[in-house]
Amino acid sequence: MRITTGYVLVVALALGLVMTLFSVRDQLDVAADLFTWADQQTTDRPLSSYQPITVTYQKERLELYDGLRRNDLTPSALPPKIEQTFIAIEDRRFYQHDGYDITGILRAFTENQTGDSKGQGGSTITQQLARMTYLSTEKTYTRKIKEILISISLEQKYSKKELLTAYVNQAYFANNIYGIELAATSYLGKHAKDLNWAEVSYLAAIPNNPSLYDPLRFPKNTSKRQQRILKALEQTRDISSKSRKQPVQVTFRKPLIRYSDYIDASVSEAIRHTASVQNISSSEAKQYLHQHGAVIETYLDPAEQTRAKQAIQKLPSPIEGAYVGIDGRSRGVTALVGNKSTLPGQLNRAVQSYRQPGSTLKPLLVYGPYLEKTKKTLTSRLDGSPVCFDGYCPQNSSNRILGRVTIADAIAYSYNTPALRAFAVSFNEGLKTIRPFRFSQWTDEDNSYNSALGGLKYGVSPLELTNAYTTFVNDGLYSPSSMIRTITTDQGTLYRHSLQTDRIWSSRTNQLLRKGLHNVMTYGTGRLGYDTRPAYIGGKTGTTNDNKDMWFVGMKDQHVGGIWLGADLPRAFPVEANSTLQVKTWAEILR
């Protein structure tokens, strides 16, 4: 019995040993995979390669990181005071550890066992940099492990000075401010190299908790933490206790991105082009542009952009607006305004909002194809009496009953019933003609009579509609517009805007349409925007049911400007629509 029991124990121990060995081997494999993963992360996205995207217009240059301004310091230019301050308060053993501090981790682990949250404290500067650059902010042990592994990899690839510089460049200082240099100029009106100990410690207080230590909202909190930092500096550095009494004068200078509507949209366009050229996702394209120091050369005209922004901002509440200006020769977008705000990252109605275009669609979908097919002239007449097609029975403005009217008057006064009769004649041609414009939200449901008067399911964006109108200033030829002239990287030219023309209709038809759109300005619905100075002026108004959307797209010589006014939650604006506020606003912009 004892012998049997002994054999059983020996076998059990042997099996246990084998299983332990297999388990250890598996764990070692997992560990090796994790270290390989961490190394791959830091290899694919080197710290030194995450450069600004530079947007240029005329002679101006703007450097952006992830859509926000950030003026980076170089390791050689990192001021000693900044280096010493952040080490004193964030990571005293920064120059001794290899990316993680086991003492800090054990302390944080102990605290977490008595609290309700995970992943609190214990992070070295390298770990914080790893989190900011490669990971999310979720507070889990899994993320903490990944953070440590990436930190080890970073320490193997970069010097301590490079890591610390990257950290102070990426740290968030509240109020859309990233990096110590921009924080110094924004809050204190100084460059980082010119800060004294009190000022450095004041700014160093913010990243620990930007909401709690926001110097604009909670200056007492900021000052309280500043004193803790100065006390820590007294213990680790030879600084005078007088520093704790030096006043810090905060005079906030908001780090504005001028022309943020246009800049946001142009960067988004650059990301789309990059994704297409490189056959990668949008997030990968954005990263690619940063890694390769992309320079985006735009068509932006600051003067037109400024006038457009001011005009949109002057609109009465609750009316919002969007404006797009395009140079008809180059098809370059010269101005783009999508909201009243001056902050980046806002809803950009010029490119992100789609609304029914009303009668502004008639020249494109109805009258162009009709004149092309029938060879009629502007003096030819259309029946304007009440009409229905497939149950669609539109009325004219003020329920006006018409007889036979000239095509010229039908365009100038934006009559609905003759337009529907014309569309019935050239229905198929109209749907074919509209395709090259690539209205992104056009659906099969829009292949109907409702579309003759702009009653689309989702609608068009101001950029799309203005883009289509460039056909009228180019002899009936259409080519997609762009905000971007070129995108260049350290690899060379990634994208260059070129004209890829489609003939939409003949020169004869285009001349007739131009004359019809000129009539709109001289005696029709756009007469309040008439200007005698340009050699040519033309345009088309559009309003939707109950005057919820107000559109106008106009041309002065080779320049095209399109405007939309309305509200995000559609509501009626009868007074403004009847006074053609959109036309007057357009005229103010292109004065």
Side-chain angles (χ1 to χ4, degrees), residues 162-388:
E162 288 174 321
L163 294 172
L164 182 57
T165 304
Y167 171 79
V168 299
N169 282 336
Q170 292 189 41
Y172 183 53
F173 288 83
N175 300 299
N176 285 331
I177 297 171
Y178 285 84
I180 187 71
E181 174 65 17
L182 187 58
T185 56
S186 299
Y187 290 120
L188 305 176
K190 295 183 177 182
H191 291 291
K193 64 182 178 63
D194 299 322
L195 300 177
N196 60 38
W197 285 111
E199 292 166 336
V200 170
S201 58
Y202 189 85
L203 294 180
I206 304 171
N208 180 265
N209 188 330
S211 297
L212 180 62
Y213 300 120
D214 182 339
L216 302 185
R217 299 177 60 210
F218 307 111
K220 290 183 179 179
N221 292 349
T222 316
S223 296
K224 187 175 180 180
R225 179 165 172 79
Q226 176 212 22
Q227 293 303 310
R228 287 177 52 199
I229 296 172
L230 286 169
K231 186 175 181 180
L233 281 166
E234 286 181 39
Q235 296 171 354
T236 59
R237 300 288 170 187
D238 185 20
I239 72 165
S240 169
S241 59
K242 293 181 181 178
S243 298
R244 299 180 67 178
K245 299 179 181 179
Q246 282 184 285
V248 175
Q249 299 296 326
V250 176
T251 53
F252 186 57
R253 295 165 177 80
K254 193 174 183 180
L256 291 176
I257 296 177
R258 297 179 69 189
Y259 322 123
S260 57
D261 317 50
Y262 191 105
I263 299 300
D264 283 350
S266 62
V267 171
S268 295
E269 183 181 327
I271 290 171
R272 290 194 299 273
H273 288 313
T274 303
S276 176
V277 171
Q278 299 292 325
N279 193 27
I280 54 180
S281 68
S282 294
S283 60
E284 291 170 327
K286 181 179 180 181
Q287 182 173 317
Y288 180 92
L289 292 172
H290 275 294
Q291 287 178 334
H292 295 282
V295 177
I296 304 169
E297 182 187 6
T298 73
Y299 287 101
L300 173 63
D301 177 352
E304 183 184 2
Q305 180 75 16
T306 299
R307 292 195 305 270
K309 189 70 170 183
Q310 291 173 346
I312 295 299
Q313 288 177 327
K314 285 165 55 178
L315 293 171
S317 181
I319 297 178
E320 264 289 357
Y323 172 84
V324 176
I326 301 177
D327 175 15
R329 297 181 184 86
S330 65
R331 273 72 158 199
V333 178
T334 53
L336 187 145
V337 174
N339 53 68
K340 295 178 179 178
S341 173
T342 57
L343 296 175
Q346 305 300 303
L347 173 65
N348 195 327
R349 297 170 183 83
V351 292
Q352 294 177 310
S353 291
Y354 297 86
R355 303 296 282 262
Q356 294 185 359
S359 293
T360 55
L361 199 62
K362 290 175 183 175
L364 303 168
L365 181 64
V366 177
Y367 291 115
Y370 178 80
L371 291 170
E372 186 80 352
K373 179 178 181 178
T374 64
K375 308 305 179 186
K376 300 283 188 179
T377 68
L378 294 183
T379 57
S380 302
R381 293 183 175 271
L382 289 165
D383 184 357
S385 62
V387 63
C388 293

